[in-house]
Amino acid sequence: MATVIAIANQKGGVGKTTTAINLAAAFAQKKKRTLLIDLDPQANSTMTFFALEEVSHSVYDVLADHQLPFAEIIKPTKCANLCLVPSKISLAKLEANLVGQFDAPFRLKDVLTPVRKDFDMILIDTPPTLGIMTVNALVAATHLLVPIQAGYYALEGTDDLLETLERVRARPNPELQLLGIVITLFDKRTNLARDIQKQVNQVFGDKVFKTVIGKNVRLEESPAYKETIFTYAPDSSGAGEYGKVAKEVLHRVTQ
Ligand code: ADP
Ligand code: MG
């Protein structure tokens, strides 16, 4: 049964998508059967692997009204062992459609359960909100991974995220565990980044991954070339660091 990791932080631009695509690629390289689910209507994870014209159906078609079986929207990518469930802008409409539906928070979990046996690792990229998509991810997940950007206001909002974690854990998903915090976009030349790192370590202790993701222009460039960091710049610091985070994740989930 796959480990299901929701990658969430309601702040935008903190490295959720970069972490989702490159961790997924790292697991796939380690021969783990990996599925990346894009739950963000902005579809940035999807666009790293496909042109939007190539995406006829998205996760919206499954979550909206079970129009399609989930297995039919799982697309193999050009990376071995890595499949994607694509998003599309139409996902943004789903939020409104789900209002008042008693099973709204469970839609993803319901469709994911039957395919969990087909994968080792499932990663879910989420939008920068604590809305119904992120809640669906947390209800379906076994673990939550939180990227925190080493910049000003880094910790703002983490209280709300952790409160949401507790609420999901209290009722729909008691199994959900905080897998860890990964510090991203770290610029070792600045005092601010080092101060933020200290603060994050004080607040989250051993939940913080030892590996920190530095600022690396190759990480920023690779999606534009429809590549992950492991094919675009395998010798870059970004590839090395995401490889190490993947190792730490595997170590934590198998304990
Ligand atoms: P989110 O999904 O949380 O909104 P992204 O992963 O899209 O965040 O990252 C925001 C922007 O920062 C993107 O342009 C991305 O390419 C860039 N970025 C993310 N991580 C790094 C990094 N470690 N070094 C340099 N640029 C990065
Ligand atoms: Mg994103």
Side-chain angles (χ1 to χ4, degrees):
M1 285 290 260
T3 298
V4 184
I5 303 174
I7 299 175
N9 182 335
Q10 74 275 32
K11 284 178 81 165
V14 300
K16 286 183 293 296
T17 298
T18 305
T19 299
I21 59 187
N22 292 307
L23 267 189
F27 293 138
Q29 265 201 343
K30 292 178 193 294
K31 308 246 172 346
K32 303 286 178 196
R33 294 167 306 163
T34 305
L35 177 64
L36 173 59
I37 301 175
D38 190 354
L39 276 196
D40 186 352
Q42 291 180 50
N44 293 339
S45 280
T46 302
M47 289 186 290
T48 301
F49 296 97
F50 299 101
L52 285 185
E53 310 83 75
E54 293 174 90
V55 178
S56 43
H57 295 290
S58 76
V59 70
Y60 174 87
D61 300 309
V62 174
L63 299 185
D65 53 9
H66 306 281
Q67 275 177 32
L68 274 179
F70 190 62
E72 281 189 28
I73 60 165
I74 298 177
K75 283 169 81 78
T77 69
K78 66 179 179 183
C79 306
N81 309 314
L82 178 55
C83 292
L84 176 89
V85 166
S87 170
K88 256 191 175 175
I89 197 78
S90 52
L91 193 58
K93 289 187 288 193
L94 186 58
E95 186 110 20
N97 293 357
L98 288 180
V99 170
Q101 304 282 328
F102 74 93
D103 65 338
F106 299 94
R107 293 278 175 106
L108 180 64
K109 186 187 176 91
D110 287 349
V111 296
L112 197 56
T113 302
V115 303
R116 264 183 73 186
K117 62 179 184 330
D118 303 326
F119 295 95
D120 301 307
M121 301 302 285
I122 299 177
L123 296 175
I124 310 172
D125 187 17
T126 63
T129 69
L130 290 175
I132 193 67
M133 284 302 106
T134 300
V135 170
N136 263 270
L138 293 176
V139 171
T142 55
H143 295 82
L144 165 64
L145 174 64
V146 183
I148 290 186
Q149 180 187 355
Y152 199 37
Y153 290 129
L155 285 166
E156 196 195 50
T158 48
D159 284 355
D160 291 337
L161 178 60
L162 294 180
E163 193 189 306
T164 305
L165 167 70
E166 288 311 327
R167 280 168 49 192
V168 170
R169 197 144 60 180
R171 201 64 61 78
N173 188 7
E175 260 185 69
L176 182 63
Q177 293 177 43
L178 178 60
L179 176 63
I181 309 291
V182 58
I183 297 176
T184 61
L185 284 144
F186 184 79
D187 185 347
K188 60 176 184 289
R189 295 166 305 179
T190 73
N191 294 333
L192 176 65
R194 281 195 300 270
D195 283 350
I196 299 290
Q197 185 182 30
K198 255 186 233 154
Q199 278 180 35
V200 172
N201 282 325
Q202 266 162 17
V203 174
F204 292 103
D206 59 10
K207 282 291 175 193
V208 184
F209 285 98
K210 289 197 182 68
T211 310
V212 169
I213 307 295
K215 269 199 181 156
N216 177 214
V217 73
R218 300 283 171 258
L219 284 169
E220 203 178 343
E221 289 168 349
S222 56
Y225 298 95
K226 299 242 175 309
E227 301 280 351
T228 72
I229 196 67
F230 298 99
T231 48
Y232 180 69
D235 299 325
S236 64
S237 58
E241 287 157 4
Y242 273 112
K244 282 189 194 161
V245 173
K247 218 169 150 185
E248 286 192 62
V249 169
L250 291 173
H251 185 70
R252 287 186 187 197
V253 299
T254 51
Q255 269 185 343

